[in-house]
Amino acid sequence: MDPQLLRSIWPVFAAETREQIQAIGSKVLGLEQPAASREPDLLPSLKRVVHSLKGSAASLGLDDIERIVHAIEDGLSHVNVEEPISRTAVEAMLRGLSAIENALNRGDAGESPAVDGVQALLQALGHGGEASSASDDATDSGALGGEGLKILSALEAALGRLVSPKVEDRAGAVRAAVERAHALRQSAEAAQAEQVAALAEAAALGFTRMEEGGDAAGQAASEVAGALVDLRTALGLMEDAGEAPAPTPAPVAPTPVVPKPAARATTAAEARGGAVDRAVRVSVKTLDSLALQVEHLVAGRAQAGRRTESFRALTDHAHEVLLHLERAASQLALSGGGTALEQLRVGVSLMRQMQKRLLEQAKEAHRDGEQHALVAQVVRDDLRDLRMVPASQVLEPLRRTVRETASRLGKEVVLELGGTDVRLDRRIVDALKDPLVHLVRNAIDHGLEMPEGRRAAGKPDSGRLTVRVEARGTRIGVIVEDDGAGLDPVRVRATAVRRGLMTQDAAEKLTDAQAARLIFQPGFSTREEVTSTSGRGVGLDVVLATAQRLQGSADVEYTPGKGTRFIVDLPLTLAAALGLLVRTGNTITAIPSDTVKRVLRLDKDDIGTVAGRVVARLDGEQLTFLTLSEAIGLPRLELALESGRRQTAVLLALGEERVLYAIDEVVGQQELVVRALGKHLQGVPHLAGAAVLDDGRVVPVLNALELLRAAKPEMRSPVGETKMPRILVCDDSITTRFAMKSLLEIAGYPVVTAADGEEAWSVLDRVHCQLVVSDWQMPRLDGVGLARRMKKHPMFRRTPIILVTSLDSQEDRMEGLEAGADGYLVKREVERGKLLELVRQLLPSSG
């Protein structure tokens, strides 16, 4: 097929093929069940889907996929309806489907959708590497069906090229197509397949009429397409049954030859007369664009609302002006104002008319605004529904994963799926595919014992694996649970030490819950040897990273000897979220409302200290109490409690974890569309994204899970918590300050900032920093003064300090070094990477 035409059709083909692969896999697994417990129409419906997929692949010239599907179809033709299908056949078919899925992924990436190991797959499917099961007898009708379909694919590809407005050597392309059609007619006549011969001749005549181009060519193309559709039906029936086609075959869905403007009309199954649920395919990019336009519409409505309020304010102001004018008129009347009085009264009358029109305009603007708000909300809700898909789309493919993994490992596994009808955001479904595969493979490989081990433990030979989705209000829980041996925290600690993730002393200080969370660390695996399933140290870290990227969390629970449970907590949708807007100092931030349980005011008596931690008493419970400004890297601000006033605080909760954060005030609540941050800010853990308010301001959206972890040491990752030293950057220029901050954060260092030496000294007193980078010339306390003060203090004299300045004389360098500076850089050297080099020299453990 013409590459350009294939690219235009590919998105539709790939999406439909994935649906067909999922359906085929589920139905093939269903064939393992006894005949009495199967769906009544299981085998015939399976054959229909397989045949449809084969036809689609053939029409696009995807030979590898066509051959694999043809082999699966041939294998199904030998299945006994009354008996379960063999395990070997099922595994071969599932491997074939997985290979096709990999080919689709290549096609999505713009590569050739070739299938790896075609010959081996065909041999496993009983085809011995041959593309067709037809006999060598040219007069056999089954052979005509197989060979005829190949010629038909070439004819369909030729039609696809000829309908393009720009065709090189149209006459040559037509002649080649006519010759193929005549060859098919001759083969059909030899096999006494009169209908195929007639259809082939009709196609040849149609191709001949296409040579001149123009309107006549368009009409001829339509006739050729109809003939090719009927040919595919006739040849397909001949190939399947091995006999001559019936005189009046039932029509089947047309194979897409010419790309249509619509993304999807009806599926092949629908066109064949099945239940039709009319739908269109819409790309995610289109949905995102529509969602953005709707948000602009909502923002515009908010701005219109503010203008309406301005109208009201103007009418009120006009009313006050009228009162003043009327008083002036009354005073003029008492003093006999004459002409001036008359002119004033005329002005008052005109002003009253203007006020009346302003009031009418304000009312109309308000009505229009309410109507626009209603329309925007309906469109927003409809768009959100468009994004929502059933969880079965991510759960059902796990059946094949479980079957393939269990078979490879020699284990018996029974998979139970739950919550398949729960509707999720499509982006969450897509993002969950790889993490769920990792969790399922991990459960089978590490969690479930071998059959002999289960028997020794008094368990059934078959392990039980449950994957379910639970609706939890505005959030969902994805649970993967097995009934295996459970985690062994002792072994996990030993593995972490052996792999160099932490020291023996640090591992021994971990609680069992903290040790269990080590399995989410990159590079962690308890496997001694590398296998096709595990041992590479890649897997569960993907689960945690994906959950955090989706503004969620991942956790693990276990019961020794009884099983392990993984819980992934996620928002129900990413399209929009209700956010609480809070102010700390001059900074407005948004916190997802579903994690804010209460907003309250605390008295000084409510605050205390327990084991070195500041806590607040709430409902008889002692909760960790922190300031939000420090948690998100802002300078510490004075609490209201320090001035004797009551302190505003928000109670954050996620699962069983609860923490109180001090804020200055609650600004409001608004539905937000959270936008992803650029790559330079993806490593900032407390930021989930950013959102645009209805007044045009951009605010950061905080990651509630990271805020909870910052407050709860037991929730923090025990590995890498102090891996990268914290650096204090001090400069009175906000541009320079944040340029150096960004440079260091991109390199992985956590950074706090200060505007001058005095503020830096205050920060050092509160926040543990392993290195200071300071400007020389600053108000209040300069860099040299800060260096001298640090080197005289017993707590900070070992903390390295780098002076960054525009002063480049030898005398300045000597003065800085004599003051105690451990490094000296000219500002232009910062851009050349010298700062990072010096930081790594002074903090060698961080490299």
Side-chain angles (χ1 to χ4, degrees), residues 12 259-265 280-281:
V12 180
K260 302 294 190 297
R264 177 178 184 263
V280 293
R281 294 189 188 279

Side-chain angles (χ1 to χ4, degrees), residues 16 253 264-279:
E16 187 167 31
R264 177 178 184 263
T266 55
T267 65
E270 291 166 354
R272 277 192 297 272
V276 177
D277 180 14
R278 295 196 177 275

Side-chain angles (χ1 to χ4, degrees), residues 218-540:
Q219 184 176 357
S222 177
E223 295 173 1
V224 171
L228 296 184
V229 167
D230 292 339
L231 268 174
R232 180 164 292 282
T233 302
L235 291 170
L237 290 173
M238 292 178 66
E239 186 189 32
D240 294 339
E243 59 187 60
T248 54
V252 298
T255 303
V257 177
V258 184
K260 302 294 190 297
R264 177 178 184 263
T266 55
T267 65
E270 291 166 354
R272 277 192 297 272
V276 177
D277 180 14
R278 295 196 177 275
V280 293
R281 294 189 188 279
V282 182
S283 71
V284 174
K285 184 184 295 185
T286 302
L287 281 179
D288 288 340
S289 176
L290 284 173
L292 181 60
Q293 300 311 313
V294 170
E295 295 313 317
H296 287 323
L297 177 62
V298 172
R301 163 67 192 106
Q303 293 168 0
R306 286 194 294 275
R307 284 194 291 271
T308 301
E309 292 302 318
S310 298
F311 266 123
R312 292 182 184 277
L314 281 174
T315 56
D316 293 341
H317 185 62
H319 180 67
E320 292 178 4
V321 172
L322 277 172
L323 290 177
H324 287 296
L325 290 175
E326 287 173 345
R327 291 193 192 102
S330 299
Q331 292 173 0
L332 279 173
L334 292 174
S335 61
T339 304
L341 176 61
E342 185 62 29
Q343 291 178 349
L344 182 58
R345 283 175 174 166
V346 172
V348 169
S349 177
L350 292 173
M351 193 68 181
R352 282 193 180 281
Q353 293 176 18
M354 186 181 297
Q355 182 192 25
K356 184 178 180 180
R357 285 198 297 271
L358 276 174
L359 282 170
E360 290 172 354
Q361 290 291 331
K363 289 179 181 178
E364 289 179 6
H366 180 71
R367 284 196 300 268
D368 292 345
E370 291 298 316
Q371 182 65 27
H372 291 160
L374 179 61
V375 171
Q377 188 59 47
V378 170
V379 175
R380 177 187 271 181
D381 291 343
D382 287 346
L383 274 173
R384 188 175 301 171
D385 288 342
L386 279 175
R387 290 184 179 276
M388 306 300 277
V389 295
S392 59
Q393 289 198 10
V394 72
L395 296 182
E396 286 295 337
L398 294 177
R399 296 188 186 277
R400 282 195 291 131
T401 301
V402 170
R403 178 58 188 265
E404 292 169 358
T405 306
S407 175
R408 185 165 56 247
L409 297 174
K411 297 181 179 181
E412 295 288 340
V413 182
V414 176
L415 174 65
E416 298 176 4
L417 300 179
T420 54
D421 294 333
V422 177
R423 297 183 68 80
L424 314 175
D425 191 310
R426 178 57 186 258
R427 287 174 294 180
I428 290 179
V429 168
D430 290 341
L432 272 179
K433 289 179 180 177
D434 286 343
L436 274 179
V437 168
H438 285 308
L439 286 173
V440 165
R441 287 177 174 167
N442 179 80
I444 298 173
D445 191 16
H446 294 274
L448 296 175
E449 311 95 330
M450 296 296 289
E452 55 272 19
R454 293 182 63 84
R455 284 194 295 270
K459 299 178 181 179
D461 286 2
S462 297
R464 181 178 56 81
L465 178 61
T466 303
V467 184
R468 64 181 183 274
V469 176
E470 298 178 350
R472 301 175 176 178
T474 58
R475 301 187 72 81
I476 59 165
V478 182
I479 293 94
V480 178
E481 185 175 8
D482 65 70
D483 66 345
L487 278 175
D488 182 356
V490 175
R491 186 182 179 195
V492 170
R493 288 187 183 93
T495 301
V497 174
R498 186 179 69 252
R499 290 185 174 267
L501 299 178
M502 62 194 327
T503 64
Q504 182 67 44
D505 291 342
E508 291 175 354
K509 294 177 182 178
L510 298 178
T511 64
D512 285 350
Q514 286 179 305
R517 286 190 59 81
L518 287 172
I519 62 176
F520 289 112
Q521 295 304 317
F524 186 91
S525 176
T526 56
R527 274 278 185 266
E528 298 292 344
E529 71 283 351
V530 175
T531 69
S532 60
T533 307
S534 55
R536 294 173 173 81
V538 178
L540 294 182

Side-chain angles (χ1 to χ4, degrees), residues 633-637 728-732 737 752-766 778-781 786 789:
L634 297 175
R636 183 183 183 277
L637 301 173
L728 169 62
V729 171
C730 177
D731 198 299
D732 60 331
R737 186 162 72 241
V752 293
T753 61
D756 57 41
E758 288 291 351
E759 187 179 336
W761 186 255
S762 176
V763 171
L764 284 172
D765 190 41
R766 301 189 319 270
M778 296 181 294
R780 296 204 295 176
L781 181 64
L786 177 62
R789 187 180 293 186

Side-chain angles (χ1 to χ4, degrees), residues 170 209-221:
R170 175 181 287 273
R209 291 171 53 202
M210 292 183 68
E211 185 172 353
E212 296 181 1
D215 294 338
Q219 184 176 357

Side-chain angles (χ1 to χ4, degrees), residues 21 53 83 86 99 124 149 189 204 231 303 331 358 361 424 430 481 485 547 557 594 654 672 714 719 776 807 838:
I21 287 175
L53 175 55
E83 297 178 2
S86 71
L149 283 173
E189 289 174 347
L231 268 174
Q303 293 168 0
Q331 292 173 0
L358 276 174
Q361 290 291 331
L424 314 175
D430 290 341
E481 185 175 8
E557 300 173 354
D594 58 356
L654 197 60
L672 306 172
E714 61 272 19
V719 180
W776 182 312
L807 304 175
L838 190 53

